[in-house]
Structure formats: structure tokens, C-alpha cells
């Protein structure tokens, strides 16, 4: 949909940054997911869709930030002149898992740094932060529907069209009249996630698990 609404624009204006690349995909995953739960014919089917939402929240709010923490520590170690030996990288990876997940994991993959392609792309650093930002940003935009009413759809389309020529701050200010520097924008994102986690817990109980 993102590319479709930009189809008649100049090519140079359709190259949006990584932190805005999820704006349409996450938005419509949320739209479709909510509708699928509404149409689900059984508790098991509802649980399957709610499980996907829980999995997404875990990935974007825990797994990907863990990767970001690891990469931050790795760059700090390099700047400090430390040798990035396998032993050090394994320790940094284990510390990153522990920092985000605490004691909730049965085991921690301290070799994750060696197998994840994103860490080895020489042209791009921190190929992780844009995913979490994009997830929360898209949900923050989604949360504006209620206050914008019937005008929201066109504002959303216009916002997508401007992602290749404006920053995240600017598109939200221009088309939704709010600021991503205001904590309330992000609280809107978190409220949606909380609602989805509540739904997930209800479906687990309904399924007798």
C-alpha cells in the first residue's frame, strides 16, 4: 500500500528511510489482525491470531532491543580499544539477553552475534533500531484514528506520500497535528499493545491453557 500510494510520484521522492519503512506494513497487520479476531469462529482460532500479536510485541520490544543493546556495547568496546574476540562478543551477547529478559529465558544464545546477518552488514550499522521505532511509530499513527474521525484516511495516505521527503517528526506534525516528541504519542502505541496482551490472556483462559 505504501508503494501504491506513491506510484505517481517522482522516484527520488519515494525513497523513504528505514525508520518509516514499517509505517504501512505494521499499520495494516494491525488492521487485519483486529478484524481476524473479530471474525474468528472458535476460541482456538482467536488464540492463534492473538498469539501472533504477542509474538510481534515480544520481537519488537524485547528481541530487537536486545540486538541494539549488544551492538551499542560492541561499538563502545571497540572505541575503548578492546579486541572484539569471540569470548568478549559472547559475553556482550549474554549480557544483552540478560538485560532485557532477566531470568525469563531457559537459555541464552550467546552466539547469536555470529549467526545474525544484520550484525555483519558493513554498509549499515544498528540494523535493528528502525524496526522497533517503526513498530511503535505505526501503532502511534494507528492510535490517532479515533481523534481524527473521517479525516483520518486521507491524512494517513498523505502522510505515507511524504515519508520520502520529510522526517518522522515532520510528517506526523503536518498530517496528524501531533508531535512524536510528546510522550502521549508513544503512550497511544503502548495502549494498543496493552489491549492486545489483555486479549491474548483472555484467549488463553478461554482455551483452558
Amino acid at each position: 500500500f505504501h508503494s501504491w500510494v506513491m506510484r505517481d510520484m517522482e522516484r527520488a521522492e519515494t525513497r523513504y528511510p528505514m525508520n518509516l519503512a514499517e509505517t504501512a506494513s505494521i499499520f495494516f497487520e494491525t488492521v487485519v489482525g483486529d478484524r481476524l479476531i473479530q471474525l474468528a469462529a472458535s476460541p482456538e482460532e482467536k488464540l492463534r491470531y492473538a498469539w501472533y500479536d504477542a509474538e510481534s510485541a515480544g520481537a519488537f520490544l524485547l528481541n530487537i532491543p536486545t540486538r541494539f543493546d549488544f551492538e551499542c556495547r560492541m561499538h563502545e568496546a571497540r572505541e575503548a580499544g578492546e579486541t572484539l574476540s569471540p569470548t568478549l562478543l559472547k559475553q556482550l551477547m549474554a549480557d544483552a539477553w540478560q538485560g532485557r529478559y532477566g531470568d525469563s529465558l531457559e537459555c541464552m544464545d550467546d552466539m547469536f552475534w555470529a549467526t545474525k546477518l544484520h550484525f555483519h552488514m558493513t554498509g549499515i550499522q544498528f540494523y535493528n533500531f528502525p524496526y522497533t521505532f517503526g513498530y511503535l511509530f505505526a501503532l502511534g499513527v494507528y492510535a490517532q484514528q479515533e481523534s481524527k474521525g473521517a479525516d483520518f484516511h486521507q491524512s494517513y495516505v498523505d502522510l505515507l506520500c511524504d515519508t520520502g521527503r520529510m522526517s518522522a517528526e515532520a510528517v506526523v506534525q503536518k498530517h496528524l497535528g501531533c508531535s512524536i516528541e510528546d510522550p502521549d504519542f508513544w503512550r497511544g502505541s503502548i495502549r494498543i499493545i496493552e489491549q492486545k496482551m489483555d486479549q491474548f490472556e483472555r484467549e488463553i483462559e478461554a482455551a483452558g491453557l
Side-chain angles (χ1 to χ4, degrees):
F1 186 75
H2 202 159
S3 297
W4 187 82
V5 300
M6 292 177 137
R7 65 194 182 283
D8 296 325
M9 295 172 57
E10 293 293 332
R11 186 173 181 82
E13 296 182 331
T14 65
R15 297 174 181 171
Y16 40 79
M18 288 175 60
N19 65 329
L20 295 177
E22 304 290 329
T23 306
S25 57
I26 295 295
F27 185 97
F28 284 104
E29 281 180 19
T30 306
V31 171
V32 172
D34 288 349
R35 186 60 175 158
L36 286 173
I37 288 178
Q38 290 175 2
L39 297 175
S42 67
E44 292 76 17
E45 192 176 356
K46 284 187 177 182
L47 177 58
R48 185 163 64 249
Y49 299 135
W51 180 274
Y52 176 81
D53 287 334
E55 227 176 12
S56 293
F60 287 115
L61 300 181
L62 288 171
N63 187 282
I64 292 174
T66 295
R67 305 178 200 182
F68 176 77
D69 293 344
F70 165 77
E71 197 162 355
C72 285
R73 301 295 86 77
M74 182 186 70
H75 282 283
E76 289 168 0
R78 185 179 181 185
E79 186 175 357
E82 296 186 57
T83 299
L84 299 182
S85 65
T87 300
L88 176 61
L89 293 172
K90 289 173 67 176
Q91 184 59 55
L92 295 178
M93 192 76 253
D95 290 346
W97 289 123
Q98 179 70 35
R100 292 286 175 176
Y101 287 87
D103 60 0
S104 64
L105 297 178
E106 291 183 357
C107 61
M108 300 181 188
D109 181 7
D110 61 7
M111 287 294 291
F112 185 72
W113 58 271
T115 60
K116 192 62 183 176
L117 173 66
H118 297 63
F119 294 133
H120 301 276
M121 292 180 172
T122 57
I124 304 175
Q125 287 76 46
F126 296 100
Y127 195 172
N128 35 57
F129 168 78
Y131 286 109
T132 294
F133 178 92
Y135 173 69
L136 293 171
F137 180 82
L139 292 180
V141 171
Y142 186 85
Q144 299 298 313
Q145 292 181 84
E146 187 173 340
S147 63
K148 302 304 176 188
D151 295 331
F152 177 80
H153 175 75
Q154 190 58 54
S155 295
Y156 177 65
V157 170
D158 293 341
L159 181 152
L160 292 178
C161 287
D162 273 340
T163 52
R165 52 196 175 198
M166 298 177 73
S167 66
E169 293 90 340
V171 292
V172 166
Q173 184 66 58
K174 177 181 177 181
H175 298 293
L176 299 178
C178 54
S179 172
I180 66 171
E181 295 181 9
D182 183 346
D184 282 341
F185 177 85
W186 305 103
R187 289 187 184 110
S189 311
I190 298 301
R191 279 194 294 272
I192 291 174
I193 297 168
E194 288 177 337
Q195 291 166 6
K196 289 182 175 297
M197 294 307 97
D198 290 344
Q199 175 81 41
F200 178 55
E201 292 179 356
R202 287 194 298 270
E203 300 314 328
I204 288 177
E205 292 177 3
L209 300 176

